[in-house]
Amino acid sequence: MKEEKHYKTLFKATSLFGLVEILRLFLRIITNVAATHFLGTKGFGLLGLLENAVQLIGSFANFGINFTGVREISSIKANDEEYAKTIKAVTQFSLLTGIISAIISIIFAYNLSFITFKTVEYFYWFIALSVYFVATSYTQSRIIYLEGSQNFQKLLRINVLVNLLNTIVVIAAYYFFSTQGIIMAMIVNSLVALLFYSTLSTVPKTKVKFSAEDRKIYFKKFIKSGSLLALNTFIGFLCFFIIRTYFNNVSAETLSFYNASNLIIIAYLGIVFIAMGKFFFPKLSQSIDNREQSVQLINNQLELSLLIIVPAIVLIYAFSDFIIKTLFSSAFLPVNQILIFGLASIVFRSFNYAVGYLLLSHQNFKQYFYINAVSDLLNALLTILFYEKWGLIGIGLSIFINYLLSAVYIYYYTNKKYAFKISSFVKKQFVASLFIVFAIIVLSLVFDKMYFKIIASIVFLISAGYSLIKIDEYILDFKIRNKFKSLF
């Protein structure tokens, strides 16, 4: 019965957050089209560069509070005095990180403008971004509270509303102010998010005294545990910047192919992993003291992830040409070469996410840092080396090998440190998922496109049918099967 309950709650949360992420992705596509149309090629390039700079500054200063804060709030009972103090500490610490980011952005405005755009012309953008950093950090504290307290319905409603308004603001700003609308949209949207999250995500009022000594204790704890997470994020963005710079030096075309493959592999298929982090991580943090329950929870999440992700992978293999043409253009069809092995890596990525959260739940930030730092550095190294040797196929192969090595080490470490084991059934499903994906890769190399599409479509129908049967069993209590029985 416990296992069934895990399946239902995990699937419900993944579905809800997945739908919101799909909506957000759809809105992002609309804003990208608007940016391309109203900003032109140069303006669109400025937008991407500014977003990268903002990510680097934010990752350097936030000390991973988005992870540590959720973990702290979710692991404490709501009626405890410590719960109220933790919420206050998270709010104040988040605001402090925003202020630090704002100060960095103002002091180094000229340097950041030159490093980012090769000119100091946009220094005032970074001065204006100080408002964005402060507003966003406070908004982040409200999101942390909603995730940690598992108030997902309110979080989803606010998220949808803010994303819809953000899209309207972006399109209007780009239309009326062109390139200058980039910075205007970012600031206005940060204030819109601040308004709605601070108004609608009502934090319970309490008379608990939060002294200077309490603040010192909590802040020291957040800095100690979060500094490695912040460095992790910074290294990840830095490695991505190195790869992007390398491909840009090779050719703008190669860089475009790499960015497009990342969108498909990480952004589009990554929806399930974003959804997983919103619910699964706080849920795991709550049950971490109960080894049997936490192991079962991870196995349930891994199985559900595979049931959702494998049919999606096969579907993209089958109709990759159509998908690439629809999302980009026929000029991007060479991206298929990256996807050959890149898509297969998602199976290992689902494992890394499900089991990797075990480290964060145990507050083993040091080991989490080592795994991710090595993975990011290895990704940059292998991507460049494999591209030099095998071209675009080498990029996908480097992604695959990187996720594979991470999965092997994560399982070895968690098994040794926390006695974690994959259940025999999930192990069989994992092997079967790998077999399906590898079979598809071989078939894509052996058959011509027409025959491959037919075979891949059949494999998709089989894998999707199996997933539907298992979801009907775990989530719907055999409602679909009983409906078919009544019809026939």
Side-chain angles (χ1 to χ4, degrees):
M1 184 63 72
K2 279 184 180 180
E3 189 170 333
E4 185 180 336
K5 186 177 180 181
H6 286 325
Y7 281 123
K8 287 183 177 180
T9 53
L10 288 170
F11 184 79
K12 182 180 178 182
T14 302
S15 301
L16 287 172
F17 279 107
L19 288 172
V20 172
E21 285 303 314
I22 289 172
L23 173 64
R24 193 175 66 84
L25 194 60
F26 176 71
L27 295 174
R28 181 62 188 267
I29 291 171
I30 293 174
T31 56
N32 281 343
V33 170
T36 305
H37 185 72
F38 297 129
L39 302 180
T41 307
K42 182 183 177 182
F44 191 71
L46 289 175
L47 174 62
L49 291 169
L50 183 63
E51 287 177 342
N52 283 346
V54 168
Q55 288 171 338
L56 280 170
I57 296 170
S59 65
F60 180 77
N62 76 352
F63 291 97
I65 189 61
N66 53 319
F67 279 107
T68 54
V70 171
R71 200 270 175 199
E72 290 297 317
I73 293 173
S74 63
S75 61
I76 304 170
K77 291 182 179 180
N79 57 352
D80 285 358
E81 181 179 314
E82 189 183 351
Y83 183 78
K85 286 186 177 182
T86 302
I87 293 172
K88 286 189 176 183
V90 167
T91 301
Q92 292 182 16
F93 188 81
S94 296
L95 193 56
L96 177 63
T97 63
I99 293 170
I100 292 171
S101 297
I103 291 171
I104 292 172
S105 193
I106 292 171
I107 292 176
F108 299 102
Y110 279 93
N111 308 81
L112 289 168
S113 177
F114 185 78
I115 292 170
T116 306
F117 305 114
K118 306 303 179 189
T119 174
V120 296
E121 181 184 346
Y122 299 99
F123 78 94
Y124 64 94
W125 279 19
F126 289 95
I127 294 174
L129 275 174
S130 59
V131 177
Y132 168 87
F133 284 121
V134 175
T136 302
S137 65
Y138 188 81
T139 299
Q140 182 64 43
S141 71
R142 302 299 86 186
I143 295 172
I144 291 169
Y145 162 69
L146 291 172
E147 288 183 9
S149 61
Q150 298 187 48
N151 193 345
F152 299 117
Q153 288 188 347
K154 184 169 285 188
L155 176 62
L156 291 170
R157 284 199 296 268
I158 302 173
N159 198 317
V160 169
L161 182 60
V162 168
N163 276 290
L164 287 170
L165 290 173
N166 283 355
T167 303
I168 295 170
V169 170
V170 166
I171 294 173
Y174 293 172
Y175 177 78
F176 288 108
F177 302 101
S178 188
T179 303
Q180 296 303 320
I182 295 174
I183 191 67
M184 293 176 66
M186 289 185 72
I187 294 172
V188 172
N189 280 338
S190 68
L191 294 173
V192 168
L194 172 65
L195 174 65
F196 281 94
Y197 273 102
S198 59
T199 304
L200 300 177
S201 62
T202 49
V203 177
K205 293 182 179 179
T206 175
K207 294 181 180 180
V208 173
K209 186 180 179 182
F210 190 66
S211 65
E213 185 61 29
D214 290 328
R215 187 179 296 107
K216 182 180 177 182
I217 292 170
Y218 276 100
F219 280 22
K220 186 177 179 181
K221 184 179 182 181
F222 291 153
I223 292 172
K224 183 180 179 181
S225 59
S227 55
L228 288 177
L229 293 176
L231 186 57
N232 251 159
T233 308
F234 182 79
I235 290 172
F237 284 130
L238 184 62
C239 289
F240 176 72
F241 179 77
I242 291 170
I243 295 170
R244 208 172 68 100
T245 303
Y246 167 76
F247 283 136
N248 193 39
N249 291 332
V250 172
S251 72
E253 214 174 40
T254 305
L255 176 60
S256 297
F257 295 153
Y258 176 74
N259 288 337
S261 68
N262 266 315
L263 278 174
I264 295 172
I265 296 171
I266 296 174
Y268 300 151
L269 283 176
I271 286 172
V272 68
F273 304 121
I274 295 172
M276 185 193 300
K278 298 292 185 183
F279 176 80
F280 172 63
F281 174 49
K283 186 75 175 176
L284 183 61
S285 296
Q286 279 186 335
S287 62
I288 203 65
D289 293 330
N290 186 329
R291 181 189 164 277
E292 184 179 342
Q293 187 179 13
S294 61
V295 168
Q296 186 184 80
L297 188 65
I298 293 170
N299 274 285
N300 291 167
Q301 180 64 71
L302 178 56
E303 185 179 357
L304 281 176
S305 299
L306 293 172
L307 289 174
I308 295 169
I309 208 73
V310 172
I313 291 172
V314 178
L315 184 67
I316 293 177
Y317 272 123
F319 301 101
S320 59
D321 284 1
F322 173 77
I323 292 169
I324 290 170
K325 287 178 183 178
T326 303
L327 294 175
F328 309 102
S329 70
S330 56
F332 282 80
L333 286 176
V335 171
N336 272 318
Q337 297 177 57
I338 301 176
L339 297 182
I340 289 173
F341 288 102
L343 287 172
S345 69
I346 302 300
V347 178
F348 290 108
R349 190 181 179 204
S350 65
F351 178 89
N352 294 344
Y353 264 73
V355 184
Y357 276 123
L358 188 61
L359 299 173
L360 286 178
S361 298
H362 278 287
Q363 300 188 66
N364 192 343
F365 301 114
K366 185 180 290 187
Q367 192 61 224
Y368 186 83
F369 168 77
Y370 290 146
I371 292 172
N372 282 277
V374 170
S375 179
D376 287 330
L377 293 169
L378 193 63
N379 180 47
L381 178 63
L382 291 181
T383 298
I384 294 171
L385 288 178
F386 284 19
Y387 175 78
E388 290 283 349
K389 191 170 182 62
W390 294 296
L392 294 177
I393 291 177
I395 296 175
L397 186 60
S398 70
I399 297 170
F400 176 82
I401 291 175
N402 195 26
Y403 279 128
L404 168 62
L405 293 176
S406 294
V408 170
Y409 181 77
I410 286 172
Y411 185 66
Y412 166 78
Y413 184 84
T414 53
N415 176 260
K416 185 178 178 181
K417 179 76 174 178
Y418 307 114
F420 170 76
K421 289 184 179 180
I422 305 177
S423 69
S424 58
F425 181 78
V426 175
K427 194 179 294 182
K428 289 176 184 177
Q429 186 181 353
F430 189 77
V431 172
S433 299
L434 288 175
F435 176 79
I436 290 170
V437 173
F438 282 128
I440 289 291
I441 292 174
V442 173
L443 291 170
S444 70
L445 298 173
V446 172
F447 291 97
D448 60 35
K449 285 190 176 181
M450 181 59 70
Y451 284 113
F452 172 72
K453 283 182 179 179
I454 295 171
I455 297 170
S457 298
I458 294 171
V459 175
F460 165 72
L461 291 173
I462 293 171
S463 63
Y466 174 79
S467 294
L468 185 61
I469 290 170
K470 300 307 290 184
I471 289 171
D472 182 42
E473 177 186 345
Y474 297 149
I475 317 300
L476 304 176
D477 299 322
F478 297 106
K479 286 181 181 178
I480 297 177
R481 189 179 73 174
N482 293 335
K483 187 69 175 178
F484 271 95
K485 279 185 176 181
S486 65
L487 290 172
F488 298 101

